[in-house]
Amino acid sequence: MKTYNIPGSLTAGLKKILLCSTLLLSVNACKDDVLTEVPLAFLNPDVVLVNKAGFDTYLASMQAVLRSAYFENDDYGYGSNVWDFQVGTDVGMNGDPGINTYVDYRTWVTPTAGQVNHHWEWAYLKVIPRANTLIEYAAKPGAVWKDEAEKNAAVGEARFLRAYAYNILANLYGGVPIVDQVATGPKLDFKRSTRAEVLAFVLKDLEFAAQWLPKSTTQDGRVVKAAADHLLAEVYNNVGQYDKAIASASAVINDGQYQLMTSRFGKYTAQPGDVFSDLFKDNNQNRTTSGNKETIWALQFEFQTPGGIPKAGGGNGMLRAWGPRYFAIKDPDGKTAMAVSDSLGRPVGWFRPTNYFNYTIWNDRADIRNSAFNIRRDFYYNEKSSKYFGQKVNPRTAKDLDTMYWYYPYIRKIEGEALAGATYGRTFKEFYMMRLAETYLLRAEAYLLKGDLQKAADDINVVRNRAKAKPITANEVTLDYLLDERARELMLEELRRLTLNRMNKLVERVKKYNPRSGGTIQPYHAFFPIPQKFIDANIEIKVDQNQGY
């Protein structure tokens, strides 16, 4: 039996067996050197990756792989890993006093930490080998294609997903190994490329994807040309190629298919709300069903549909993690006065926005992103047996009220229909990976860094105008202002840690705005350490650890 070793391997034993036996879609099927039968009864790539239908099935299945990056428990019992990109930054911190996530960077971010292993292994054990498999099989003589364009579209989608993973790696760990082929045997001599080399590799993949991906799709969740152009704009900004960033963002903005939603839409328009709140209502994320022309790419969730949620206990966990534990609030007499409800769900208050997000950035009262439809700042006693039923909770009179854990403003974009019951605590609505508002802010970033402050202000004002916020002037545009605007628009959507990393702002802004983490973060925490298990397994070449670890 052949064995495989890729970055993230535990040792030359258990992990190799695991890869051969379970990642049949990630690498060539394990074969005996003598017995070369091709298995026909399961999703072996030799069977599936032979025509467009097979490649489409393979690509669609990668939705589960993408969900696992953010909304799936892992081998470390770490839970929903999207929190790593927001907690311990300028916008997010702990609420639950029993959770120490990023409270002390020195003890939380270590080479053996669960989150450090998770994101590395998600990329190297799930996304990258699958993408490499598809790319290699597409070029095999046995693959049947209508024409070169059909083949290149499939390869372009795989290269986009590979680039997406490597972009995260580069901005989370710095320089990492570049693996662009399917492993055919044990490999214990991986070499770290520089961060610049990794980003150059990402650009090549994205440039190919932007050339060959289709402009539109009828299958929600599949990536299109605009997704590649959007990510190109970000990476070009990261490497200082601002004219190319402007061109890539403009390709999306001027495409004709995309526009900011400026009028109410979807099935909730009869209910109180505004256009920004409509963006985050259930069933309003997908272009094909809601009329939402702002969506570029959305991660898919489907309740009680095979393959539609990560696993038992899965779903979109934003509400559960970021909503306050409101049902623990007592009335002024110290009695229970709050009950779990369908409208509020059952959040547990693990994490909460920082005061920077809750208060500092909202000096414009006209901004609808801070309206009651988008940030819930007031709570009302909802236990019908309470004598305080229907009254507004007053934090000064409520009994022993924990305002870090039970009662704080929260972003209502995390709310959703209680399809699995209010006590489940999770929703099943789609999760934005990219939408047009961010594309404008990426182009504004490029104009700012290029020195054209007026055009930067113009793009920022497109987003602010939709929010009915006061336009800004050119002399107000700074990198910090742009980060404030991204927080107002993209809170809990953007991977904030990566944004701050690529702008060299993480340590500075955590120290300034995060009271829980700011006292412990050090300059070397700008990047995660390289996982120790990878360093230990890569026995034929010494792998240098990131400085400080």
Side-chain angles (χ1 to χ4, degrees):
M1 177 181 287
K2 293 182 181 179
T3 57
Y4 303 88
N5 189 290
I6 62 180
S9 297
L10 285 169
T11 62
L14 176 62
K15 205 67 171 185
K16 294 178 185 177
I17 296 171
L18 177 64
L19 288 172
C20 267
S21 62
T22 63
L23 297 183
L24 295 173
L25 289 179
S26 302
V27 294
N28 292 324
C30 301
K31 300 177 182 178
D32 188 275
D33 290 335
V34 177
L35 300 176
T36 58
E37 293 92 338
V38 177
L40 301 177
F42 56 88
L43 291 178
N44 179 273
D46 290 323
V47 176
V48 175
L49 299 180
V50 295
N51 55 31
K52 184 179 185 301
F55 281 93
D56 281 346
T57 298
Y58 188 97
L59 286 164
S61 73
M62 291 190 73
Q63 280 291 323
V65 175
L66 291 166
R67 281 197 303 267
S68 72
Y70 307 129
F71 298 107
E72 183 175 324
N73 291 329
D74 57 22
D75 293 339
Y76 309 102
Y78 186 60
S80 296
N81 298 281
V82 70
W83 323 139
D84 290 321
F85 299 106
Q86 292 127 8
V87 181
T89 70
D90 55 347
V91 298
M93 63 190 224
N94 294 83
D96 185 340
I99 292 180
N100 62 355
T101 310
Y102 296 97
V103 169
D104 190 330
Y105 262 82
R106 297 163 300 184
T107 58
W108 186 260
V109 184
T110 68
T112 58
Q115 74 276 13
V116 171
N117 288 313
H118 168 83
H119 299 289
W120 182 277
E121 295 189 356
W122 168 78
Y124 280 117
L125 298 182
K126 294 183 178 181
V127 180
I128 293 168
R130 285 166 168 80
N132 287 341
T133 298
L134 188 148
I135 292 165
E136 290 191 15
Y137 271 78
K140 287 191 173 187
V144 178
W145 299 102
K146 181 177 67 176
D147 51 32
E148 194 74 3
E150 184 177 78
K151 179 183 77 172
N152 286 343
V155 172
E157 189 164 354
R159 291 185 69 172
F160 170 88
L161 294 170
R162 184 170 71 180
Y164 180 82
Y166 268 115
N167 185 54
I168 290 177
L169 290 172
N171 288 312
L172 199 56
Y173 300 91
V176 297
I178 295 175
V179 181
D180 60 356
Q181 295 180 339
V182 176
T184 58
K187 182 174 174 61
L188 304 172
D189 60 350
F190 288 99
K191 181 180 178 182
R192 287 184 69 181
S193 297
T194 66
R195 183 167 179 261
E197 290 169 338
V198 176
L199 291 173
F201 180 77
V202 168
L203 286 173
K204 287 182 180 179
D205 270 355
L206 291 176
E207 287 163 352
F208 182 92
Q211 179 182 356
W212 291 104
L213 280 172
K215 290 190 67 175
S216 62
T217 178
T218 58
Q219 189 173 8
D220 293 320
R222 295 288 293 273
V223 294
V224 292
K225 172 179 166 53
D229 284 324
H230 176 101
L231 190 53
L232 271 171
E234 178 189 309
V235 181
Y236 281 136
N237 277 340
N238 205 348
V239 300
Q241 298 185 39
Y242 305 126
D243 286 333
K244 288 186 176 181
I246 292 166
S248 294
S250 297
V252 183
I253 292 167
N254 300 329
D255 180 273
Q257 297 184 86
Y258 304 95
Q259 65 183 51
L260 293 192
M261 301 302 290
T262 56
S263 301
R264 298 203 62 191
F265 69 98
K267 69 176 187 178
Y268 298 91
T269 55
Q271 299 179 10
D274 54 41
V275 65
F276 194 74
S277 67
D278 283 342
L279 286 170
F280 304 98
K281 296 292 188 182
D282 287 68
N283 305 308
N284 276 4
Q285 290 73 46
N286 286 331
R287 296 173 59 86
T288 58
T289 54
S290 70
N292 184 347
K293 296 182 179 180
E294 190 166 333
T295 301
I296 298 171
W297 183 29
L299 193 61
Q300 302 296 296
F301 288 87
E302 295 179 22
F303 181 57
Q304 292 186 334
T305 299
I309 60 173
K311 56 169 54 173
N316 186 328
M318 284 291 184
L319 175 62
R320 179 170 170 79
W322 287 88
R325 196 179 181 89
Y326 71 89
F327 48 86
I329 295 173
K330 306 295 184 183
D331 65 24
D333 300 330
K335 297 180 179 179
T336 299
M338 298 290 283
V340 173
S341 69
D342 285 349
S343 61
L344 295 175
R346 191 180 66 86
V348 291
W350 289 331
F351 311 122
R352 54 162 289 156
T354 58
N355 283 347
Y356 157 76
F357 177 83
N358 281 337
Y359 306 109
T360 303
I361 61 176
W362 300 110
N363 55 2
D364 187 342
R365 295 189 177 185
D367 194 326
I368 66 170
R369 296 170 297 190
N370 187 32
S371 75
F373 303 121
N374 295 302
I375 298 181
R376 188 186 293 276
R377 297 182 182 272
D378 297 322
F379 293 83
Y380 295 85
Y381 294 114
N382 66 351
E383 175 54 63
K384 293 183 178 180
S385 63
S386 171
K387 70 179 183 179
Y388 294 93
F389 175 72
Q391 295 184 31
K392 181 179 174 180
V393 176
N394 185 338
R396 295 186 178 183
T397 61
K399 185 73 171 177
D400 300 325
L401 184 62
D402 188 332
T403 57
M404 292 292 291
Y405 185 23
W406 303 346
Y407 180 98
Y408 54 79
Y410 78 90
I411 309 96
R412 296 190 64 178
K413 64 174 69 173
I414 65 177
E415 295 178 346
E417 294 179 0
L419 299 179
T423 59
Y424 187 69
R426 299 173 180 86
T427 68
F428 296 89
K429 68 179 180 182
E430 277 64 52
F431 180 77
Y432 287 115
M433 303 288 274
M434 298 175 181
R435 59 183 177 90
L436 188 63
E438 185 183 17
T439 317
Y440 275 102
L441 296 178
L442 287 170
R443 191 169 72 174
E445 181 183 337
Y447 280 129
L448 165 62
L449 296 172
K450 185 182 177 183
D452 193 336
L453 300 186
Q454 184 55 60
K455 287 186 177 178
D458 291 342
D459 275 345
I460 293 171
N461 284 334
V462 172
V463 177
R464 290 183 63 78
N465 287 343
R466 191 265 296 279
K468 303 189 185 307
K470 179 182 177 181
I472 64 165
T473 61
N475 61 11
E476 294 177 271
V477 180
T478 64
L479 208 54
D480 283 312
Y481 184 92
L482 185 61
L483 285 167
D484 294 347
E485 190 64 26
R486 289 182 67 93
R488 284 185 282 264
E489 181 70 26
L490 301 170
M491 177 65 170
L492 299 186
E493 298 174 68
E494 74 165 326
L495 303 181
R496 185 70 169 189
R497 181 178 300 277
L498 303 188
T499 300
L500 295 172
N501 273 358
R502 67 180 175 81
M503 293 185 182
N504 297 314
K505 285 283 190 176
L506 177 68
V507 177
E508 172 193 333
R509 287 178 68 93
V510 171
K511 284 181 177 293
K512 184 175 182 180
Y513 294 121
N514 192 316
R516 288 277 175 92
S517 304
T520 64
I521 192 169
Q522 303 297 316
Y524 68 86
H525 289 127
F527 292 109
F528 274 11
I530 302 301
Q532 190 62 42
K533 61 161 55 175
F534 164 61
I535 292 176
D536 292 343
N538 202 63
I539 59 176
E540 294 182 8
I541 287 183
K542 182 179 183 297
V543 177
D544 290 332
Q545 181 56 271
N546 283 339
Q547 187 176 1
Y549 296 101

